[in-house]
Amino acid sequence: MGVTEQGLLERDKDTMTLNMGPQHPSTHGVFRVVLEMDGEIVKSAEPDIGFLHTGIEKTAENKRYIHCIPMTDRLDYLSPPQNNLAFCLTVEKLLGVKELPARADYLRVIMCELGRIGSHLVWLGTHALDIGAMTVFLYAWREREMILDLNEMISGVRMMTSYIRVGGVAKDATPEWLDGVRKFVDYFPAKVDEYESLLTNNPIWLDRTRGIGTMTKEEAVLWSMSGPVLRASGLNWDWRKRKPYSRYDEFNFEIPTQDHGDIYDRYLVRVEEMRQSREIIKQALDNLPDGPYKLEDNKISLPPRDTLHTSMESLIHHFKLVSDGVKVPKGSAYVPTEGARGEVGFYIVSDGSNTPYRVKLRAPSFMGIPGMCKMMEGAFIADVVAIIGSIDIVMGEVDR
Amino acid sequence: MGLMDEAVDAVETEINNLKLNAKEAIEQLGAEFSGAVYDSILTTKLGKVVGWAQKNALWPATFGLACCAIEMMAMANSRWDAARFGAEVFRASPRQADLMIVSGRVSQKMAPVLKRIYNQMPEPKWVIAMGACSSCGGIFNNYAIVQGVDRVVPVDVYVPGCPPGPEALLYGVIKLQEKILREAGSEQARQRVA
């Protein structure tokens, strides 16, 4: 910007630079984006991340494997069990664990799907709030509280459960907990219908979401989108079906897809995903096998507590595991899992010691940000918050 | 007993409750009253009344950082209902807020932003450090995280937990309200707006 001879301000460009964030309620955390505006139209959007950089990947290099699990909770803090699972599956692959007890896998699946529902509920509430529908927020939180209560019941904490451990889960499910989950499963479908009755045919919602932030199937693949965004663009891609882990192949469920790839389709996909997750939990409850809830190999998972006073070996294993941790063979591994926002996976390099040499997270939110900024180009300023909400970014796993 | 009598009873109970509430409020204010007219005349200091009003209308800034922000949102929702304590009006602009709930870990990159937002808030203003990370760095004792937000802004109430539940945060808010009332009309309260 310069000054003319008449003393008037002269602009050297026709666009206006607009800063959004990092403290902005609708960026779902501390995301900053610099928008070049031509009137009301966004010309270009440049993301600025790192305001929540926590150094989790670096800190993990100094922690034993079991100590990394609570930190993975704090990456994607809306569906923590999924991160636990991705981490533990990778460590188990490095350890050469072929198969877990069926009960462990089923409990893992229940926790992950509860986490997915909880995450989608937060997304639904905040996304609708950004667009201007306040009521959905209160409705969605009501059901989320039930999930948080179940989390608290089984792990002692509402959000950061750290329930999934290397070699199984932290402790066995109690009958009361299973009853609670069953109650939730019976209660939930009517509530999803309720959300749909508020939004699906709501003319304001349709106007704000249909045909906005569109991404074709090819574009979505090129921009490395995954999860609901990719499926809303028409590609039937879900790691639970493509490469089943944790016995997902034993469950009967659908992968919802849509064709247009706009915000509305992403909404439809996520709402249907909540129903499908509920189906999976129901089947897991119905067929929940008896038996051990973790590996019986005491070099990997802790021996039962009550054997410590009677068995010398148990005591030794317990001491070794707690004081020294599990030693993971040399090598590197990556296991993709389907999180609430897309492909979650850890790439772990092990040098044979009890701490990882390098941990790298493949975070769906992080991969989604360039595509999101692409969607913003050519959109109205008012649609920017709707686009951010439809990608459902969590800054914890973007900045880690 | 007829319908009319029941209605009269209900009204009388209601009036008694109101009187009790008024008495409680007067006692909270540290006001003086004389027996017969205590429910009609009341003398106190202006500073006390201002403090009492501020305590019951805390406007938090919408300042979500990380995991704790989700529990902060839960606090505003129907189950925990921060409105019961007059602290539910979350404001998107710091210029309209007088309470900053630092909900989550503060990174080195975010600290200057946080300081700036704090400076933008009008006085008097209060800060709650929510969660282990903003209180002391929590489990992240490393190069990236500020080891406690009190290195950047003055903190009034620390709420421990990782993350603290909504009930813990509400307890923190109530503790802050007690502090505001205690300080009301004192030199400290004057310094806050100086």
Side-chain angles (χ1 to χ4, degrees), chain A residues 23 48-49 51 53-54 59 74 126 138 141 145 149 158-160, chain B residues 62-63 67 71 73-74 77 79-80 105 107 109 117 142-144 162:
Chain A
Q23 191 265 331
D48 179 9
I49 60 171
F51 288 98
H53 178 59
T54 317
T59 310
R74 284 146 185 91
T126 52
L138 298 169
W141 232 269
E145 284 291 333
D149 279 351
R158 277 160 56 88
M159 277 169 69
M160 309 305 182
Chain B
T62 318
F63 189 56
C67 338
E71 291 293 63
M73 282 148 80
N77 265 292
R79 181 175 179 192
W80 306 99
R105 41 197 192 247
S107 68
K109 189 173 176 177
I117 291 169
N142 60 21
Y143 66 94
C162 192

PDB file of all heavy atoms in Angstrom, chain A residues 23 48-49 51 53-54 59 74 126 138 141 145 149 158-160, chain B residues 62-63 67 71 73-74 77 79-80 105 107 109 117 142-144 162:
ATOM      1  N   GLN A  23      -7.063 -17.607  17.390  1.00  0.00           N
ATOM      2  CA  GLN A  23      -8.105 -17.676  18.409  1.00  0.00           C
ATOM      3  C   GLN A  23      -9.417 -17.346  17.740  1.00  0.00           C
ATOM      4  O   GLN A  23      -9.860 -16.213  17.716  1.00  0.00           O
ATOM      5  CB  GLN A  23      -7.806 -16.699  19.554  1.00  0.00           C
ATOM      6  CG  GLN A  23      -8.672 -16.881  20.763  1.00  0.00           C
ATOM      7  CD  GLN A  23      -9.877 -15.970  20.773  1.00  0.00           C
ATOM      8  OE1 GLN A  23      -9.850 -14.891  20.219  1.00  0.00           O
ATOM      9  NE2 GLN A  23     -10.942 -16.428  21.405  1.00  0.00           N
ATOM     10  N   ASP A  48      -1.724 -21.779   8.489  1.00  0.00           N
ATOM     11  CA  ASP A  48      -0.576 -21.583   9.370  1.00  0.00           C
ATOM     12  C   ASP A  48      -0.832 -22.465  10.592  1.00  0.00           C
ATOM     13  O   ASP A  48      -1.756 -22.214  11.356  1.00  0.00           O
ATOM     14  CB  ASP A  48      -0.459 -20.113   9.754  1.00  0.00           C
ATOM     15  CG  ASP A  48       0.713 -19.863  10.694  1.00  0.00           C
ATOM     16  OD1 ASP A  48       1.497 -20.811  10.888  1.00  0.00           O
ATOM     17  OD2 ASP A  48       0.827 -18.756  11.232  1.00  0.00           O
ATOM     18  N   ILE A  49      -0.040 -23.489  10.736  1.00  0.00           N
ATOM     19  CA  ILE A  49      -0.280 -24.428  11.831  1.00  0.00           C
ATOM     20  C   ILE A  49       0.895 -24.398  12.799  1.00  0.00           C
ATOM     21  O   ILE A  49       1.879 -23.722  12.562  1.00  0.00           O
ATOM     22  CB  ILE A  49      -0.516 -25.863  11.319  1.00  0.00           C
ATOM     23  CG1 ILE A  49       0.699 -26.350  10.551  1.00  0.00           C
ATOM     24  CG2 ILE A  49      -1.759 -25.931  10.472  1.00  0.00           C
ATOM     25  CD1 ILE A  49       0.652 -27.806  10.207  1.00  0.00           C
ATOM     26  N   PHE A  51       0.384 -23.949  16.303  1.00  0.00           N
ATOM     27  CA  PHE A  51       0.084 -23.237  17.546  1.00  0.00           C
ATOM     28  C   PHE A  51      -0.162 -24.194  18.703  1.00  0.00           C
ATOM     29  O   PHE A  51      -0.263 -23.768  19.833  1.00  0.00           O
ATOM     30  CB  PHE A  51      -1.121 -22.316  17.354  1.00  0.00           C
ATOM     31  CG  PHE A  51      -0.816 -21.114  16.515  1.00  0.00           C
ATOM     32  CD1 PHE A  51      -1.132 -21.077  15.173  1.00  0.00           C
ATOM     33  CD2 PHE A  51      -0.165 -20.027  17.078  1.00  0.00           C
ATOM     34  CE1 PHE A  51      -0.828 -19.970  14.402  1.00  0.00           C
ATOM     35  CE2 PHE A  51       0.144 -18.919  16.316  1.00  0.00           C
ATOM     36  CZ  PHE A  51      -0.183 -18.892  14.976  1.00  0.00           C
ATOM     37  N   HIS A  53       1.746 -27.084  18.874  1.00  0.00           N
ATOM     38  CA  HIS A  53       2.817 -28.072  18.756  1.00  0.00           C
ATOM     39  C   HIS A  53       3.258 -28.520  20.141  1.00  0.00           C
ATOM     40  O   HIS A  53       3.688 -27.715  20.965  1.00  0.00           O
ATOM     41  CB  HIS A  53       3.992 -27.505  17.987  1.00  0.00           C
ATOM     42  CG  HIS A  53       5.128 -28.472  17.893  1.00  0.00           C
ATOM     43  ND1 HIS A  53       4.979 -29.703  17.303  1.00  0.00           N
ATOM     44  CD2 HIS A  53       6.388 -28.432  18.349  1.00  0.00           C
ATOM     45  CE1 HIS A  53       6.117 -30.365  17.395  1.00  0.00           C
ATOM     46  NE2 HIS A  53       6.984 -29.617  18.017  1.00  0.00           N
ATOM     47  N   THR A  54       3.142 -29.824  20.389  1.00  0.00           N
ATOM     48  CA  THR A  54       3.359 -30.354  21.723  1.00  0.00           C
ATOM     49  C   THR A  54       4.629 -31.192  21.801  1.00  0.00           C
ATOM     50  O   THR A  54       5.049 -31.585  22.878  1.00  0.00           O
ATOM     51  CB  THR A  54       2.133 -31.213  22.116  1.00  0.00           C
ATOM     52  OG1 THR A  54       0.974 -30.527  21.711  1.00  0.00           O
ATOM     53  CG2 THR A  54       2.065 -31.442  23.584  1.00  0.00           C
ATOM     54  N   THR A  59       8.980 -36.470  22.142  1.00  0.00           N
ATOM     55  CA  THR A  59       8.946 -36.955  23.523  1.00  0.00           C
ATOM     56  C   THR A  59       8.824 -38.468  23.561  1.00  0.00           C
ATOM     57  O   THR A  59       9.388 -39.121  24.447  1.00  0.00           O
ATOM     58  CB  THR A  59       7.765 -36.313  24.280  1.00  0.00           C
ATOM     59  OG1 THR A  59       7.832 -34.902  24.061  1.00  0.00           O
ATOM     60  CG2 THR A  59       7.855 -36.571  25.756  1.00  0.00           C
ATOM     61  N   ARG A  74      -3.772 -37.924  23.597  1.00  0.00           N
ATOM     62  CA  ARG A  74      -3.859 -36.470  23.520  1.00  0.00           C
ATOM     63  C   ARG A  74      -3.573 -35.936  22.122  1.00  0.00           C
ATOM     64  O   ARG A  74      -3.463 -34.727  21.950  1.00  0.00           O
ATOM     65  CB  ARG A  74      -2.935 -35.854  24.565  1.00  0.00           C
ATOM     66  CG  ARG A  74      -3.554 -35.971  25.942  1.00  0.00           C
ATOM     67  CD  ARG A  74      -2.576 -36.174  27.049  1.00  0.00           C
ATOM     68  NE  ARG A  74      -3.254 -36.404  28.321  1.00  0.00           N
ATOM     69  CZ  ARG A  74      -3.598 -37.598  28.793  1.00  0.00           C
ATOM     70  NH1 ARG A  74      -3.345 -38.686  28.102  1.00  0.00           N
ATOM     71  NH2 ARG A  74      -4.219 -37.714  29.952  1.00  0.00           N
ATOM     72  N   THR A 126     -20.671 -29.093  16.912  1.00  0.00           N
ATOM     73  CA  THR A 126     -19.920 -27.866  16.644  1.00  0.00           C
ATOM     74  C   THR A 126     -20.103 -27.398  15.205  1.00  0.00           C
ATOM     75  O   THR A 126     -20.169 -26.207  14.951  1.00  0.00           O
ATOM     76  CB  THR A 126     -18.421 -28.087  16.924  1.00  0.00           C
ATOM     77  OG1 THR A 126     -17.990 -29.256  16.222  1.00  0.00           O
ATOM     78  CG2 THR A 126     -18.171 -28.276  18.395  1.00  0.00           C
ATOM     79  N   LEU A 138     -26.641 -28.945  21.771  1.00  0.00           N
ATOM     80  CA  LEU A 138     -27.098 -29.428  23.076  1.00  0.00           C
ATOM     81  C   LEU A 138     -27.558 -30.877  22.983  1.00  0.00           C
ATOM     82  O   LEU A 138     -27.306 -31.681  23.876  1.00  0.00           O
ATOM     83  CB  LEU A 138     -28.221 -28.540  23.600  1.00  0.00           C
ATOM     84  CG  LEU A 138     -27.822 -27.084  23.828  1.00  0.00           C
ATOM     85  CD1 LEU A 138     -29.036 -26.229  24.075  1.00  0.00           C
ATOM     86  CD2 LEU A 138     -26.869 -26.958  24.986  1.00  0.00           C
ATOM     87  N   TRP A 141     -24.506 -33.281  22.638  1.00  0.00           N
ATOM     88  CA  TRP A 141     -23.730 -33.416  23.864  1.00  0.00           C
ATOM     89  C   TRP A 141     -24.426 -34.314  24.875  1.00  0.00           C
ATOM     90  O   TRP A 141     -23.786 -34.963  25.678  1.00  0.00           O
ATOM     91  CB  TRP A 141     -23.463 -32.038  24.457  1.00  0.00           C
ATOM     92  CG  TRP A 141     -22.019 -31.876  24.725  1.00  0.00           C
ATOM     93  CD1 TRP A 141     -21.394 -32.170  25.886  1.00  0.00           C
ATOM     94  CD2 TRP A 141     -21.007 -31.464  23.813  1.00  0.00           C
ATOM     95  NE1 TRP A 141     -20.052 -31.955  25.751  1.00  0.00           N
ATOM     96  CE2 TRP A 141     -19.789 -31.513  24.509  1.00  0.00           C
ATOM     97  CE3 TRP A 141     -21.006 -31.061  22.483  1.00  0.00           C
ATOM     98  CZ2 TRP A 141     -18.591 -31.172  23.917  1.00  0.00           C
ATOM     99  CZ3 TRP A 141     -19.817 -30.725  21.910  1.00  0.00           C
ATOM    100  CH2 TRP A 141     -18.627 -30.781  22.600  1.00  0.00           C
ATOM    101  N   GLU A 145     -22.372 -37.442  26.603  1.00  0.00           N
ATOM    102  CA  GLU A 145     -22.156 -37.628  28.033  1.00  0.00           C
ATOM    103  C   GLU A 145     -22.343 -39.093  28.432  1.00  0.00           C
ATOM    104  O   GLU A 145     -21.662 -39.596  29.318  1.00  0.00           O
ATOM    105  CB  GLU A 145     -23.120 -36.746  28.836  1.00  0.00           C
ATOM    106  CG  GLU A 145     -22.728 -35.278  28.868  1.00  0.00           C
ATOM    107  CD  GLU A 145     -21.476 -35.027  29.683  1.00  0.00           C
ATOM    108  OE1 GLU A 145     -21.209 -35.807  30.602  1.00  0.00           O
ATOM    109  OE2 GLU A 145     -20.772 -34.052  29.383  1.00  0.00           O
ATOM    110  N   ASP A 149     -19.564 -41.325  30.247  1.00  0.00           N
ATOM    111  CA  ASP A 149     -19.823 -42.077  31.478  1.00  0.00           C
ATOM    112  C   ASP A 149     -19.356 -43.522  31.336  1.00  0.00           C
ATOM    113  O   ASP A 149     -18.775 -44.095  32.265  1.00  0.00           O
ATOM    114  CB  ASP A 149     -21.312 -42.048  31.811  1.00  0.00           C
ATOM    115  CG  ASP A 149     -21.697 -40.757  32.509  1.00  0.00           C
ATOM    116  OD1 ASP A 149     -20.775 -40.000  32.865  1.00  0.00           O
ATOM    117  OD2 ASP A 149     -22.901 -40.508  32.689  1.00  0.00           O
ATOM    118  N   ARG A 158     -12.928 -39.831  31.903  1.00  0.00           N
ATOM    119  CA  ARG A 158     -13.996 -39.546  30.955  1.00  0.00           C
ATOM    120  C   ARG A 158     -13.503 -39.530  29.514  1.00  0.00           C
ATOM    121  O   ARG A 158     -14.156 -40.072  28.634  1.00  0.00           O
ATOM    122  CB  ARG A 158     -14.619 -38.194  31.273  1.00  0.00           C
ATOM    123  CG  ARG A 158     -15.667 -38.239  32.349  1.00  0.00           C
ATOM    124  CD  ARG A 158     -15.881 -36.875  32.928  1.00  0.00           C
ATOM    125  NE  ARG A 158     -16.225 -35.888  31.934  1.00  0.00           N
ATOM    126  CZ  ARG A 158     -17.470 -35.633  31.525  1.00  0.00           C
ATOM    127  NH1 ARG A 158     -18.471 -36.279  32.029  1.00  0.00           N
ATOM    128  NH2 ARG A 158     -17.712 -34.711  30.613  1.00  0.00           N
ATOM    129  N   MET A 159     -12.373 -38.895  29.283  1.00  0.00           N
ATOM    130  CA  MET A 159     -11.940 -38.746  27.894  1.00  0.00           C
ATOM    131  C   MET A 159     -10.713 -39.579  27.543  1.00  0.00           C
ATOM    132  O   MET A 159     -10.722 -40.357  26.615  1.00  0.00           O
ATOM    133  CB  MET A 159     -11.659 -37.273  27.590  1.00  0.00           C
ATOM    134  CG  MET A 159     -12.903 -36.495  27.251  1.00  0.00           C
ATOM    135  SD  MET A 159     -12.568 -34.746  27.224  1.00  0.00           S
ATOM    136  CE  MET A 159     -11.525 -34.615  25.787  1.00  0.00           C
ATOM    137  N   MET A 160      -9.626 -39.379  28.287  1.00  0.00           N
ATOM    138  CA  MET A 160      -8.345 -40.001  27.920  1.00  0.00           C
ATOM    139  C   MET A 160      -8.246 -41.382  28.533  1.00  0.00           C
ATOM    140  O   MET A 160      -7.662 -41.565  29.588  1.00  0.00           O
ATOM    141  CB  MET A 160      -7.194 -39.119  28.408  1.00  0.00           C
ATOM    142  CG  MET A 160      -7.333 -37.702  27.992  1.00  0.00           C
ATOM    143  SD  MET A 160      -7.519 -37.592  26.222  1.00  0.00           S
ATOM    144  CE  MET A 160      -7.609 -35.848  26.010  1.00  0.00           C
TER     145      MET A 160
ATOM    146  N   THR B  62     -14.220 -17.474  24.686  1.00  0.00           N
ATOM    147  CA  THR B  62     -14.138 -18.768  24.007  1.00  0.00           C
ATOM    148  C   THR B  62     -12.693 -18.987  23.607  1.00  0.00           C
ATOM    149  O   THR B  62     -12.262 -18.563  22.553  1.00  0.00           O
ATOM    150  CB  THR B  62     -15.008 -18.785  22.742  1.00  0.00           C
ATOM    151  OG1 THR B  62     -16.215 -18.147  23.041  1.00  0.00           O
ATOM    152  CG2 THR B  62     -15.261 -20.187  22.265  1.00  0.00           C
ATOM    153  N   PHE B  63     -11.935 -19.592  24.471  1.00  0.00           N
ATOM    154  CA  PHE B  63     -10.505 -19.726  24.216  1.00  0.00           C
ATOM    155  C   PHE B  63     -10.121 -21.181  24.404  1.00  0.00           C
ATOM    156  O   PHE B  63      -9.531 -21.565  25.388  1.00  0.00           O
ATOM    157  CB  PHE B  63      -9.740 -18.800  25.164  1.00  0.00           C
ATOM    158  CG  PHE B  63      -8.288 -18.700  24.847  1.00  0.00           C
ATOM    159  CD1 PHE B  63      -7.872 -18.313  23.599  1.00  0.00           C
ATOM    160  CD2 PHE B  63      -7.333 -18.999  25.792  1.00  0.00           C
ATOM    161  CE1 PHE B  63      -6.533 -18.229  23.293  1.00  0.00           C
ATOM    162  CE2 PHE B  63      -5.991 -18.917  25.499  1.00  0.00           C
ATOM    163  CZ  PHE B  63      -5.594 -18.527  24.255  1.00  0.00           C
ATOM    164  N   CYS B  67      -7.370 -30.507  24.444  1.00  0.00           N
ATOM    165  CA  CYS B  67      -8.330 -31.477  24.971  1.00  0.00           C
ATOM    166  C   CYS B  67      -9.284 -30.861  26.000  1.00  0.00           C
ATOM    167  O   CYS B  67     -10.481 -31.123  25.992  1.00  0.00           O
ATOM    168  CB  CYS B  67      -7.607 -32.641  25.622  1.00  0.00           C
ATOM    169  SG  CYS B  67      -5.923 -32.879  25.091  1.00  0.00           S
ATOM    170  N   GLU B  71     -13.904 -30.452  27.426  1.00  0.00           N
ATOM    171  CA  GLU B  71     -14.569 -30.517  28.721  1.00  0.00           C
ATOM    172  C   GLU B  71     -15.138 -29.153  29.108  1.00  0.00           C
ATOM    173  O   GLU B  71     -16.149 -29.073  29.810  1.00  0.00           O
ATOM    174  CB  GLU B  71     -13.598 -31.024  29.793  1.00  0.00           C
ATOM    175  CG  GLU B  71     -13.212 -32.487  29.649  1.00  0.00           C
ATOM    176  CD  GLU B  71     -14.368 -33.449  29.885  1.00  0.00           C
ATOM    177  OE1 GLU B  71     -15.330 -33.390  29.115  1.00  0.00           O
ATOM    178  OE2 GLU B  71     -14.293 -34.255  30.823  1.00  0.00           O
ATOM    179  N   MET B  73     -16.427 -27.115  26.934  1.00  0.00           N
ATOM    180  CA  MET B  73     -17.692 -27.066  26.207  1.00  0.00           C
ATOM    181  C   MET B  73     -18.744 -27.898  26.925  1.00  0.00           C
ATOM    182  O   MET B  73     -19.915 -27.521  26.993  1.00  0.00           O
ATOM    183  CB  MET B  73     -17.511 -27.600  24.777  1.00  0.00           C
ATOM    184  CG  MET B  73     -16.875 -26.621  23.839  1.00  0.00           C
ATOM    185  SD  MET B  73     -15.876 -27.457  22.613  1.00  0.00           S
ATOM    186  CE  MET B  73     -17.071 -27.990  21.456  1.00  0.00           C
ATOM    187  N   ALA B  74     -18.310 -29.042  27.477  1.00  0.00           N
ATOM    188  CA  ALA B  74     -19.249 -29.892  28.209  1.00  0.00           C
ATOM    189  C   ALA B  74     -19.813 -29.146  29.408  1.00  0.00           C
ATOM    190  O   ALA B  74     -20.982 -29.305  29.762  1.00  0.00           O
ATOM    191  CB  ALA B  74     -18.561 -31.180  28.651  1.00  0.00           C
ATOM    192  N   ASN B  77     -22.799 -27.193  28.696  1.00  0.00           N
ATOM    193  CA  ASN B  77     -23.961 -27.913  28.188  1.00  0.00           C
ATOM    194  C   ASN B  77     -24.955 -28.300  29.264  1.00  0.00           C
ATOM    195  O   ASN B  77     -24.720 -28.118  30.445  1.00  0.00           O
ATOM    196  CB  ASN B  77     -23.503 -29.141  27.413  1.00  0.00           C
ATOM    197  CG  ASN B  77     -23.432 -28.814  25.949  1.00  0.00           C
ATOM    198  OD1 ASN B  77     -24.451 -28.596  25.338  1.00  0.00           O
ATOM    199  ND2 ASN B  77     -22.239 -28.711  25.438  1.00  0.00           N
ATOM    200  N   ARG B  79     -26.088 -30.857  30.825  1.00  0.00           N
ATOM    201  CA  ARG B  79     -25.911 -31.717  31.985  1.00  0.00           C
ATOM    202  C   ARG B  79     -25.219 -30.994  33.133  1.00  0.00           C
ATOM    203  O   ARG B  79     -25.613 -31.134  34.294  1.00  0.00           O
ATOM    204  CB  ARG B  79     -25.101 -32.946  31.600  1.00  0.00           C
ATOM    205  CG  ARG B  79     -24.902 -33.879  32.762  1.00  0.00           C
ATOM    206  CD  ARG B  79     -24.198 -35.130  32.316  1.00  0.00           C
ATOM    207  NE  ARG B  79     -23.968 -36.033  33.407  1.00  0.00           N
ATOM    208  CZ  ARG B  79     -23.173 -37.076  33.312  1.00  0.00           C
ATOM    209  NH1 ARG B  79     -22.569 -37.329  32.179  1.00  0.00           N
ATOM    210  NH2 ARG B  79     -22.997 -37.866  34.334  1.00  0.00           N
ATOM    211  N   TRP B  80     -24.180 -30.225  32.821  1.00  0.00           N
ATOM    212  CA  TRP B  80     -23.415 -29.561  33.888  1.00  0.00           C
ATOM    213  C   TRP B  80     -23.898 -28.131  34.078  1.00  0.00           C
ATOM    214  O   TRP B  80     -23.868 -27.621  35.185  1.00  0.00           O
ATOM    215  CB  TRP B  80     -21.918 -29.614  33.570  1.00  0.00           C
ATOM    216  CG  TRP B  80     -21.469 -31.003  33.323  1.00  0.00           C
ATOM    217  CD1 TRP B  80     -21.282 -31.593  32.108  1.00  0.00           C
ATOM    218  CD2 TRP B  80     -21.215 -32.022  34.285  1.00  0.00           C
ATOM    219  NE1 TRP B  80     -20.913 -32.896  32.266  1.00  0.00           N
ATOM    220  CE2 TRP B  80     -20.858 -33.179  33.590  1.00  0.00           C
ATOM    221  CE3 TRP B  80     -21.233 -32.051  35.671  1.00  0.00           C
ATOM    222  CZ2 TRP B  80     -20.546 -34.370  34.234  1.00  0.00           C
ATOM    223  CZ3 TRP B  80     -20.916 -33.228  36.311  1.00  0.00           C
ATOM    224  CH2 TRP B  80     -20.575 -34.377  35.587  1.00  0.00           C
ATOM    225  N   ARG B 105      -2.898 -27.219  26.650  1.00  0.00           N
ATOM    226  CA  ARG B 105      -1.465 -26.938  26.670  1.00  0.00           C
ATOM    227  C   ARG B 105      -1.161 -25.663  25.884  1.00  0.00           C
ATOM    228  O   ARG B 105      -1.737 -25.438  24.832  1.00  0.00           O
ATOM    229  CB  ARG B 105      -0.710 -28.130  26.100  1.00  0.00           C
ATOM    230  CG  ARG B 105      -1.374 -28.734  24.899  1.00  0.00           C
ATOM    231  CD  ARG B 105      -0.836 -30.137  24.624  1.00  0.00           C
ATOM    232  NE  ARG B 105      -1.265 -30.590  23.310  1.00  0.00           N
ATOM    233  CZ  ARG B 105      -2.105 -31.601  23.115  1.00  0.00           C
ATOM    234  NH1 ARG B 105      -2.605 -32.236  24.148  1.00  0.00           N
ATOM    235  NH2 ARG B 105      -2.435 -31.985  21.907  1.00  0.00           N
ATOM    236  N   SER B 107       1.619 -23.782  23.823  1.00  0.00           N
ATOM    237  CA  SER B 107       2.911 -24.007  23.185  1.00  0.00           C
ATOM    238  C   SER B 107       3.686 -22.697  23.143  1.00  0.00           C
ATOM    239  O   SER B 107       3.149 -21.623  23.382  1.00  0.00           O
ATOM    240  CB  SER B 107       2.702 -24.544  21.771  1.00  0.00           C
ATOM    241  OG  SER B 107       2.141 -23.539  20.969  1.00  0.00           O
ATOM    242  N   LYS B 109       4.688 -21.246  20.627  1.00  0.00           N
ATOM    243  CA  LYS B 109       4.187 -20.421  19.543  1.00  0.00           C
ATOM    244  C   LYS B 109       2.895 -19.721  19.944  1.00  0.00           C
ATOM    245  O   LYS B 109       2.580 -18.653  19.446  1.00  0.00           O
ATOM    246  CB  LYS B 109       3.953 -21.304  18.305  1.00  0.00           C
ATOM    247  CG  LYS B 109       3.623 -20.506  17.047  1.00  0.00           C
ATOM    248  CD  LYS B 109       3.578 -21.401  15.833  1.00  0.00           C
ATOM    249  CE  LYS B 109       3.154 -20.634  14.593  1.00  0.00           C
ATOM    250  NZ  LYS B 109       3.152 -21.418  13.377  1.00  0.00           N
ATOM    251  N   ILE B 117      -4.192 -11.789  23.705  1.00  0.00           N
ATOM    252  CA  ILE B 117      -5.636 -11.913  23.954  1.00  0.00           C
ATOM    253  C   ILE B 117      -5.951 -11.473  25.377  1.00  0.00           C
ATOM    254  O   ILE B 117      -6.936 -10.778  25.624  1.00  0.00           O
ATOM    255  CB  ILE B 117      -6.090 -13.357  23.682  1.00  0.00           C
ATOM    256  CG1 ILE B 117      -6.012 -13.640  22.190  1.00  0.00           C
ATOM    257  CG2 ILE B 117      -7.502 -13.593  24.180  1.00  0.00           C
ATOM    258  CD1 ILE B 117      -6.174 -15.073  21.826  1.00  0.00           C
ATOM    259  N   ASN B 142       8.722 -30.685  27.899  1.00  0.00           N
ATOM    260  CA  ASN B 142       9.636 -30.712  26.759  1.00  0.00           C
ATOM    261  C   ASN B 142       9.833 -29.316  26.170  1.00  0.00           C
ATOM    262  O   ASN B 142       9.382 -28.325  26.735  1.00  0.00           O
ATOM    263  CB  ASN B 142       9.140 -31.710  25.705  1.00  0.00           C
ATOM    264  CG  ASN B 142       7.766 -31.364  25.178  1.00  0.00           C
ATOM    265  OD1 ASN B 142       7.335 -30.228  25.276  1.00  0.00           O
ATOM    266  ND2 ASN B 142       7.072 -32.328  24.617  1.00  0.00           N
ATOM    267  N   TYR B 143      10.482 -29.285  25.026  1.00  0.00           N
ATOM    268  CA  TYR B 143      10.881 -28.006  24.425  1.00  0.00           C
ATOM    269  C   TYR B 143       9.702 -27.183  23.926  1.00  0.00           C
ATOM    270  O   TYR B 143       9.812 -25.990  23.719  1.00  0.00           O
ATOM    271  CB  TYR B 143      11.819 -28.290  23.243  1.00  0.00           C
ATOM    272  CG  TYR B 143      11.132 -29.017  22.092  1.00  0.00           C
ATOM    273  CD1 TYR B 143      10.600 -28.299  21.034  1.00  0.00           C
ATOM    274  CD2 TYR B 143      10.991 -30.401  22.087  1.00  0.00           C
ATOM    275  CE1 TYR B 143       9.952 -28.958  20.006  1.00  0.00           C
ATOM    276  CE2 TYR B 143      10.344 -31.049  21.073  1.00  0.00           C
ATOM    277  CZ  TYR B 143       9.830 -30.319  20.033  1.00  0.00           C
ATOM    278  OH  TYR B 143       9.168 -30.965  19.035  1.00  0.00           O
ATOM    279  N   ALA B 144       8.546 -27.831  23.703  1.00  0.00           N
ATOM    280  CA  ALA B 144       7.480 -27.167  22.960  1.00  0.00           C
ATOM    281  C   ALA B 144       6.459 -26.487  23.850  1.00  0.00           C
ATOM    282  O   ALA B 144       5.783 -25.559  23.414  1.00  0.00           O
ATOM    283  CB  ALA B 144       6.781 -28.182  22.060  1.00  0.00           C
ATOM    284  N   CYS B 162      -6.437 -34.176  34.028  1.00  0.00           N
ATOM    285  CA  CYS B 162      -5.941 -34.319  32.652  1.00  0.00           C
ATOM    286  C   CYS B 162      -6.918 -35.148  31.834  1.00  0.00           C
ATOM    287  O   CYS B 162      -6.700 -36.314  31.637  1.00  0.00           O
ATOM    288  CB  CYS B 162      -4.552 -34.940  32.632  1.00  0.00           C
ATOM    289  SG  CYS B 162      -3.774 -34.831  31.025  1.00  0.00           S
TER     290      CYS B 162
END
